Amino acid sequence: MQADLKHILDEDVDKEVALLASTGVRIPPQPQIVLEVRRMAQREDLNLRSMGDLIAQDAGLTAMLYKLTRSVAFCRSRPPYSLEGILSLLGVRQAAQLVQAYGLTIAIKGETHVLEQFWARSTQIAQLAAVIASERVSICNIFPEQAYLAGLFHDCGVPVLMARFPNYCKATGLNATTRKWADVRAEDRHFQVDHCSIGFLLARHWRLPRFVADAILHHHECGHGCEHAARSVVAILQLAIELFSQDQALPNSEWAHHEPRVLEELGIHPDDLLEFSDHVMDAYRVHASQ
């Protein structure tokens, strides 16, 4: 399916989503708060106070923005103490992207233990990706909010497929107890679709930046065939996944294959990887303890 999606036009994305819905695979719509923030961000007469007032209506969104912008990945100088300050710090477009990331967490629902593990994993990877991006922004030109967005969305196709196929976890080997993740090849074999393709369509349907959607589609291929921005995002994701795996004492069978390309893309010498990784983990732990 991935090859069919590579060159899909914007006007065809919604048709593809509707076609998926006819097969029982439902791409969730954007929550109302996300739509309202996006519309406001596109206005020429945008007022930061008005956008701040809109965001303040959602306590969960407000808390997320405050927590993120106090982390080392986002805080350029000193942490902001108002929503207007947050919007000024991030920029309206970047803040809107973080609102989309929050929107995903409320759009995909469920009470299962697997879904709880999914959000815990995705959130930690997103936070690690943001720190990596902040450290390599001069090399990759990928900003923390873009990396965070990609980190939270990169595996979003998994819960969508879980909702459609009752035997998804068994067929793909996904196990919350052992924290084993889904096998893409098993997805293709059993369901003729994979979570990367579903995640790509969700990202395009939600109008995420194209390079972020491309990175979601190709994040298991280390961005092979992608343009520079998408390759950089994939490299950031791959390193974030590896650091997550190390932190949780989990195997990561893909890392040995992807490591040389990741380090080249991020401009990290192999001899410096351990020091860089320790620095990223220290910054992540400071954020996680707040």
Side-chain angles (χ1 to χ4, degrees):
M1 185 176 183
Q2 288 191 14
D4 297 334
L5 293 176
K6 187 173 182 179
H7 302 293
I8 190 170
L9 300 175
D10 287 342
E11 55 266 29
D12 294 329
V13 170
D14 293 342
K15 295 178 184 176
E16 191 71 31
V17 168
L19 182 62
L20 271 176
S22 70
T23 69
V25 178
R26 180 180 175 272
I27 301 294
Q30 295 188 75
Q32 190 62 32
I33 184 66
V34 177
L35 293 173
E36 291 178 6
V37 169
R38 282 187 57 211
R39 290 192 194 104
M40 185 173 286
Q42 294 167 359
R43 290 174 52 179
E44 294 183 2
D45 60 342
L46 172 65
N47 181 284
L48 293 186
R49 177 172 292 182
S50 297
M51 180 175 277
D53 289 343
L54 173 61
I55 290 172
Q57 296 175 23
D58 190 302
L61 173 57
T62 301
M64 184 272 282
L65 288 175
Y66 271 107
K67 183 173 177 62
L68 279 181
T69 50
R70 278 164 170 70
S71 73
V72 67
F74 291 92
C75 188
R76 276 60 161 183
S77 53
R78 58 182 182 177
Y81 290 94
S82 69
L83 285 170
E84 283 185 71
I86 289 173
L87 295 172
S88 179
L89 170 71
L90 294 174
V92 171
R93 182 177 299 177
Q94 289 76 14
Q97 290 176 352
L98 289 178
V99 172
Q100 286 183 301
Y102 169 77
L104 182 69
T105 66
I106 58 176
I108 296 179
K109 302 182 183 300
E111 301 297 332
T112 67
H113 184 49
V114 174
L115 199 55
E116 292 174 0
Q117 290 287 340
F118 166 80
W119 285 123
R121 178 182 186 273
S122 295
T123 300
Q124 183 171 342
I125 289 172
Q127 292 168 345
L128 288 167
V131 176
I132 294 168
S134 71
E135 293 293 329
R136 308 309 291 172
V137 66
S138 63
I139 304 296
C140 302
N141 199 35
I142 300 298
F143 294 94
E145 52 273 7
Q146 296 168 333
Y148 185 88
L149 188 71
L152 205 64
F153 271 81
H154 80 285
D155 274 341
C156 65
V158 169
V160 173
L161 291 176
M162 284 171 53
R164 168 62 181 87
F165 301 108
N167 64 330
Y168 177 85
C169 293
K170 182 178 180 180
T172 63
L174 195 156
N175 188 307
T177 302
T178 62
R179 293 178 294 174
K180 183 179 183 299
W181 206 236
D183 188 306
V184 177
R185 291 177 295 276
E187 289 175 331
D188 273 329
R189 187 166 60 249
H190 287 275
F191 308 117
Q192 288 75 55
V193 69
D194 61 83
H195 72 270
C196 303
S197 300
I198 297 301
F200 171 82
L201 284 174
L202 194 158
R204 294 289 303 279
H205 186 57
W206 282 35
R207 304 301 187 255
L208 267 59
R210 177 61 192 255
F211 70 90
V212 172
D214 287 345
I216 292 169
L217 182 64
H218 295 289
H219 73 268
H220 285 293
E221 305 167 3
C222 214
H224 181 71
C226 292
E227 295 184 358
H228 172 68
R231 290 199 311 272
S232 294
V233 172
V234 171
I236 290 168
L237 285 175
Q238 284 287 348
L239 181 54
I241 292 168
E242 170 60 13
L243 294 182
F244 166 82
S245 300
Q246 291 179 13
D247 185 56
Q248 299 294 317
L250 298 171
N252 180 12
S253 60
E254 295 184 352
W255 178 245
H257 175 68
H258 293 316
E259 180 180 0
R261 188 176 293 176
V262 168
L263 298 187
E264 179 182 4
E265 186 67 35
L266 298 182
I268 301 173
H269 191 279
D271 293 342
D272 298 328
L273 177 60
L274 180 58
E275 182 179 357
F276 180 79
S277 298
D278 287 344
H279 176 73
V280 170
M281 290 305 304
D282 287 345
Y284 162 75
R285 290 186 180 111
V286 169
H287 171 66
S289 66
Q290 292 177 340

